[in-house]
Amino acid sequence: MTRVLALAMLAMLALVACGGNAPPPDAGKILSDSANAMANVLTVGATLKLTKGVVSIKGFVLVSARTAVRMPTDSDTVYTVKQQDVSFALEIVMAGGHVYEHIPFTPLREVTGAEARAFPDMARLFDATTGLPAIIPAGTSTKYVASEQLDGKQVDHVSTQYTPEQVHSLLAYLNSSGPVTANLWIRSSDHLIPKAVLDGAFGDGGKDAAVEVDITNFNGTVSITSPAP
Amino acid sequence: MSRRPLFLGLAGAGLFVAALDAYVVVTLLPAMSGDVGITIENFEQATPIVTGFLAGYVVAMPLLGAYSDARGRIPVYVACLAAFALGSVVTATAGLWSFAQLPWLVGGRFLQGLGGGGLVPLSLAIAADLYRDRSRAVALGSVAGLQEAGSVLGPIYGATVTAAAAGLAGWRFVFWLNIPLSLLCAAGLLAAGRRQDAGVPATSAIDWLSALLLGLGLGALVFALYPDDPEHRAVNALFVPGGVVAVVLLGAYAWRQVRRLEPLIPRDLLRSPAFLGATAANVLIGAALIVTLVDVPFVGRLVFNLEALDSGLLLTQFLIGVPIGAVAGGLIASRIGNRITAIAGMAVSAAAFLQMSSWTANELDLHAGPLRQADLGLAVCGLGFGLVIAPLTAGVLALTRGQSHGLATSLVVLARTMGMLVGLSTLTAFGLYRFHQILGTPVLNDTDLRERVKHLERLVAAAFLQEYREIFVIAAALCVAALLVIALSLRPARTSGGT
């Protein structure tokens, strides 16, 4: 009997040593930790690139977007959009409660009312109660994918799914006709999210589309265009 | 049955494919530049996508002919095709990865140009090797004609292939297509010409110092003319130092070449007013020609609001006019002489450019009988350029002995390509500066963003129209300058064979 027990213990030790039965990290907890970390971000920069499908914003085909955010309300976003196959940059500055647009070759101009409200509020995207921090842990079918390296740092790759409503509440111009799969890369050290890929039927006409978002410069210095007084 | 036509045909086909790519980007430029992150307000950054190819073309052209004399035509030709194909791969993959942005694209275009430019003297040399009798002039003319035809057909070819491959890879397909085409030409040449190359001594080397002088000189010239801030100035902030460096380097290159070329080109030829005049005229003609090849499709896109294919097709009438003019030029020159024919050609093109300088935004709606006025103007312009090609080339050939025809024709093409490079760089700098001056800083008060953007489009189109009208006037002036140079330098004699 003692001999059997000893063999069983040896076998268990061997298994543990090989890691064969090591449980995967808790993906839900990783998302929850990252939500808390993202809730404490004061400034951030992000670039969004459309990698599949067509997404239109204000009637223009979106190619990419680059934003600098200073919480709680300020942001400076440059949308690169296409008209036929000519690309141009449309800059939207939200600062001090005002919204300004910069169309190429023209001066910065304030927009107000419904038109101003229709532009995506990038600061809201990082708001602790309504933005990413609130939505991140609410994903379903959450799964730990792998531990990976991203830009030389250890990250946890987690996949999850969000409802069309959740995605729409984040970015109003993303109207999905079905659940959106999100792949998130979460830094193991500080739980911030440097990269996310969203894939779902949020393209124009409910067709498939995918966007890759790279988030950088957490709590760093950001540059937001100051409108002329 | 002689294999010479097949061999020459394959060499010419490779040259034609490469020449197509010189201006293939003209109609694709908005899509290509957008894919490497260039937006309309920074469009000057797209200039090196065109000039990069031309710079490589001009650098390679004078270097590789002599090199192939010792290394053998086919190995060097195949190496040039390989460089062209590699450059095509680099170009086709631009924008696919974050590291493959504008410098990647310009690097690809430069590599394409290096490979393509090397094919010009090689094809001419192959033609001269294969045909040593009276038919040599026809063979040389055919090769030079293929190079010219490739250049002028490039914009329409690019637009057509891109439209046909819209569901595949769009503009990238044009460059992917170069791979099988280059492979076919290389494989055919290797198979057909193995015997021709046997026993060629391998003792020579590329004149790297010349390559460096020419490459750096052209780089400095293109840099000096690059409009880094077109809103405030026409040329680069470092225009003067860049220009001085370019003049010094290109002067050193020319001095070195004159010394090296003396054994190949008789001293008398280099001092001949007719040869110098023909070279100068070709530089001016190249600068004027580039206005049509590049700016007319741009007018189609930016002013007439045409799709890429239609903007390329706008050149059709011009392209029809060139060969008709070339044939007519040969016939007329044989009756009334090279000088009068060439002068008439330049006068016709100058008049056409002046007519084009009065184009309006609705020009395509204006008809003269069943034909659009714009098409007529372009056809006449092409006819003028066609008229001048044969007499000017014949004028140069008449000054040289038979064995120098390849080199002389190569110099004609080189001068014209040089004119295109300098003309494109200068006129782009001028054009973008004028565009910003004309547009100013418009204030848009329309109620909706889309309306404001539409309003801006109208203002931008009007500014571009005015800018291009002025460029057409400059092109007319270039034609008149070429006309005067021809009148003062070209011999009035009728077309004759080599002396």
Side-chain angles (χ1 to χ4, degrees), chain A residues 49 57-60 63 80-90 92 101 103-107 109 111 115 119, chain B residues 30-31 34-35 38-41 301 305 307 435-436 439-442 444-450 452-453 456-457:
Chain A
K49 192 172 181 186
I57 173 168
K58 290 265 186 178
F60 301 106
V63 178
T80 301
V81 295
K82 268 189 178 179
Q83 174 92 319
Q84 293 180 332
D85 57 2
V86 176
S87 300
F88 67 95
L90 177 64
I92 303 296
E101 73 177 13
I103 299 173
F105 311 118
T106 67
R109 172 187 188 278
V111 286
E115 193 181 18
F119 286 114
Chain B
D35 282 355
I38 297 172
T39 49
I40 185 81
E41 60 274 29
R301 295 302 303 278
N305 205 23
E307 295 289 332
F435 167 77
H436 281 284
L439 182 66
T441 311
L444 309 170
N445 289 318
D446 309 78
T447 52
D448 174 63
L449 174 64
R450 281 200 70 79
R452 288 193 287 279
V453 171
L456 180 68
E457 280 174 359

Side-chain angles (χ1 to χ4, degrees), chain B residues 18-85:
Chain B
L20 277 174
D21 270 39
Y23 305 109
V24 77
V25 296
V26 168
T27 44
L28 316 177
L29 212 50
M32 289 176 76
S33 53
D35 282 355
V36 292
I38 297 172
T39 49
I40 185 81
E41 60 274 29
N42 301 315
F43 209 59
E44 69 277 3
Q45 293 176 5
T47 314
I49 300 172
V50 183
T51 53
F53 184 98
L54 292 179
Y57 212 72
V58 173
V59 168
M61 220 187 286
L63 294 173
L64 293 170
Y67 183 66
S68 69
D69 288 342
R71 293 281 175 179
R73 309 285 184 224
I74 295 177
V76 181
Y77 192 101
V78 171
C80 285
L81 271 179
F84 174 73

Side-chain angles (χ1 to χ4, degrees), chain B residues 432-475:
Chain B
L432 286 168
Y433 176 63
R434 283 295 295 141
F435 167 77
H436 281 284
Q437 275 191 327
I438 297 161
L439 182 66
T441 311
V443 175
L444 309 170
N445 289 318
D446 309 78
T447 52
D448 174 63
L449 174 64
R450 281 200 70 79
E451 289 304 316
R452 288 193 287 279
V453 171
K454 277 184 183 169
H455 187 175
L456 180 68
E457 280 174 359
R458 289 193 294 275
L459 295 174
V460 165
F464 272 126
L465 177 61
Q466 179 58 27
E467 171 206 325
Y468 286 118
R469 281 170 163 179
E470 293 174 14
I471 287 179
F472 290 145
V473 171
I474 294 172

